[in-house]
Amino acid sequence: MSAYKKTIVIFNPWDRLIGPNRYLAEIFALLPEIAKQTVIITDELRDSLSEYEEMGCRVEVWPETKLLNTEFSLANILRLLWWHAKNVIGVARRLKRLRPALIISNTENIWIGGLAARLLWVPHVQIFHALSFHERFKQKKLLKRIYILWLQLLATQFVAVSNEVKRLLCAGGVKHEKITVVRNAISKRYCGLANKFTLKEILGDLSAKRPLILSAGRISAMKGQDLLIEALVCIREYFPSVVCVFVGRKNEGAGKDIIGEFATSLTQKVQRAGLQGHVYFAGEIENVQEFMHEADIYVQPSRTESFCRVVAEALLCEVPVVGFNVGGLAEATGGHATLVEPLNVSALAKAIVMTLNDRQTSVEMTRRGKRYVEDQLNPWSIAKQFSSVIEKNKSGSCTER
């Protein structure tokens, strides 16, 4: 590969606090030399851009690189074909100006980077953060294989953020050797720091309401806040003053109308269950780790998760974790969390009550979990793995023109 072709181009259509962006930012913070060679491209002005500029990256805004709506319908397929036919040549020309040695798409829901990379004969790495493709095509196995085959044609290498994501990609027909697992880097730099704000400042005085359950994630059906609200009805029988704080934004992404309806349904569910004063929605918070020490327990009631960095952050802050045994949660916690049968609300409530009552066992489990996170999800180790992916693919398995 020519000496002057050192630029790494990354399509990163995420705001600063969204999981896929935290994944990338935590890694690049430890790779300053690579950051100086990197151009971060987003689809609109986002609050993540200043962070990358501080790392030494160049940043550019290209509206053509927005996230896809991958709904399976004839109208949407035609819309996607039209969008890419209209924009791929222009994106390829702009990429050629940057002389990239490697193109990375920091999501499975962008195709234009891979299409342009193929036109330019430049290696392309696609990062899979979510299991949404699996859920979407669960009952359509042939369509799932066709979809994954299409993505394989556009990528030199896949990066999966967990072994569970890799397993599902392999089940969809991807060759084992085409996938590298690079998990989330979990930093403890915020643990134990003084809070910029306390929950009291955001929600009022909750000191008389204990235990405090914390749960984080955008307000959506996938994150399962409705299931935890159902479990609270049972939990309140054992802990009459229990309070649950949900941290996360509403109305995000292409399905924001649906997410907005879900958020409204949560408020109605709280009212019907008589849980007013027991459930609070704190909105999006800068850094959940800063509030972990105020929680007695962290609960992740998700219906599906590819990894879920926040459960690892909870263990790092020595807060016990309970959740459903879905996706990559077991991998994120290393077996040091209480994970129950998926969607079993009764089992979830029972596990939360047992964890709160048996403090000695939960403390011992959490300490083991902290050691696991420090050892297996160490940021320096993860950054080294990601750097290896970059160097391996920069050397190029694609032939230059």
Side-chain angles (χ1 to χ4, degrees), residues 42-204:
T42 67
D43 58 324
E44 59 185 65
L45 285 173
R46 294 183 180 274
D47 58 2
S48 57
L49 294 180
S50 59
E51 186 174 18
Y52 290 107
E53 286 180 315
E54 291 172 4
M55 295 179 196
C57 302
R58 278 179 56 191
V59 300
E60 296 191 11
V61 177
W62 299 4
E64 306 92 337
T65 61
K66 66 180 183 179
L67 284 166
L68 299 174
N69 174 7
T70 53
E71 172 195 356
F72 182 73
S73 68
L74 179 60
N76 191 52
I77 290 171
L78 293 174
R79 191 180 304 115
L80 290 175
L81 290 172
W82 173 81
W83 174 264
H84 287 88
K86 183 178 78 165
N87 292 299
V88 68
I89 299 299
V91 168
R93 286 173 177 162
R94 296 170 82 176
L95 281 171
K96 189 174 182 180
R97 170 178 55 82
L98 298 175
R99 298 185 180 278
L102 176 64
I103 297 169
I104 300 174
S105 296
N106 188 30
T107 171
E108 62 278 12
N109 290 329
I110 282 184
W111 297 348
I112 205 157
L115 287 166
R118 281 293 177 240
L119 288 175
L120 298 175
W121 290 74
V122 174
H124 174 241
V125 171
Q126 191 125 30
I127 302 176
F128 277 75
H129 288 279
L131 300 176
S132 54
F133 74 93
H134 173 70
E135 294 298 317
R136 190 163 52 248
F137 296 121
K138 185 176 285 187
Q139 305 303 322
K140 305 179 180 72
K141 293 183 178 180
L142 178 59
L143 286 176
K144 182 169 77 170
R145 282 185 171 269
I146 293 171
Y147 179 68
I148 292 177
L149 176 62
W150 165 247
L151 292 179
Q152 284 189 82
L153 294 174
L154 304 181
T156 313
Q157 179 88 49
F158 286 161
V159 169
V161 299
S162 68
N163 286 306
E164 177 67 5
V165 174
K166 179 175 181 177
R167 183 186 70 80
L168 291 172
L169 285 170
C170 288
V174 182
K175 292 183 179 179
H176 181 275
E177 58 271 17
K178 187 161 183 146
I179 310 168
T180 300
V181 175
V182 182
R183 296 183 290 187
N184 280 259
I186 308 299
S187 170
K188 60 181 179 181
R189 56 182 164 168
Y190 299 109
C191 285
L193 293 181
N195 295 350
K196 295 177 181 177
F197 300 98
T198 64
L199 286 179
K200 180 178 179 179
E201 290 176 272
I202 298 172
L203 301 174

Side-chain angles (χ1 to χ4, degrees), residues 26 37 66 116 119 128 199 224 226 301 359-360 390 394:
E26 292 287 349
Q37 304 171 27
K66 66 180 183 179
L119 288 175
F128 277 75
L199 286 179
D226 57 322
R359 301 301 297 176
Q360 182 176 349
I390 289 174
K394 272 181 67 177

Side-chain angles (χ1 to χ4, degrees), residues 311-325:
V311 296
E313 291 173 336
L315 291 176
L316 199 58
C317 296
E318 300 188 39
V319 177
V321 173
V322 173
F324 293 125
N325 190 12

Side-chain angles (χ1 to χ4, degrees), residues 283-394:
E284 188 173 50
I285 288 177
E286 174 74 14
N287 180 44
V288 178
Q289 281 190 31
E290 294 179 350
F291 295 90
M292 285 292 183
H293 78 279
E294 299 189 47
D296 296 292
I297 189 172
Y298 180 85
V299 179
Q300 193 67 42
S302 300
R303 289 174 165 84
T304 181
E305 285 286 354
S306 58
F307 184 80
C308 192
R309 62 182 296 120
V310 70
V311 296
E313 291 173 336
L315 291 176
L316 199 58
C317 296
E318 300 188 39
V319 177
V321 173
V322 173
F324 293 125
N325 190 12
V326 295
L329 282 184
E331 186 176 348
T333 59
H336 304 296
T338 302
L339 302 179
V340 301
E341 179 186 2
L343 309 186
N344 188 330
V345 172
S346 177
L348 181 69
K350 183 178 179 180
I352 292 170
V353 171
M354 289 180 63
T355 300
L356 290 169
N357 279 328
D358 191 350
R359 301 301 297 176
Q360 182 176 349
T361 299
S362 65
V363 166
E364 292 172 356
M365 179 183 285
T366 302
R367 285 176 178 169
R368 291 195 298 271
K370 180 180 180 180
R371 289 194 292 270
Y372 166 81
V373 173
E374 289 175 334
D375 181 44
Q376 298 298 316
L377 305 177
N378 179 278
W380 289 102
S381 175
I382 300 296
K384 185 176 180 181
Q385 293 171 29
F386 197 85
S387 176
S388 296
V389 171
I390 289 174
E391 293 307 318
K392 172 186 173 183
N393 286 280
K394 272 181 67 177

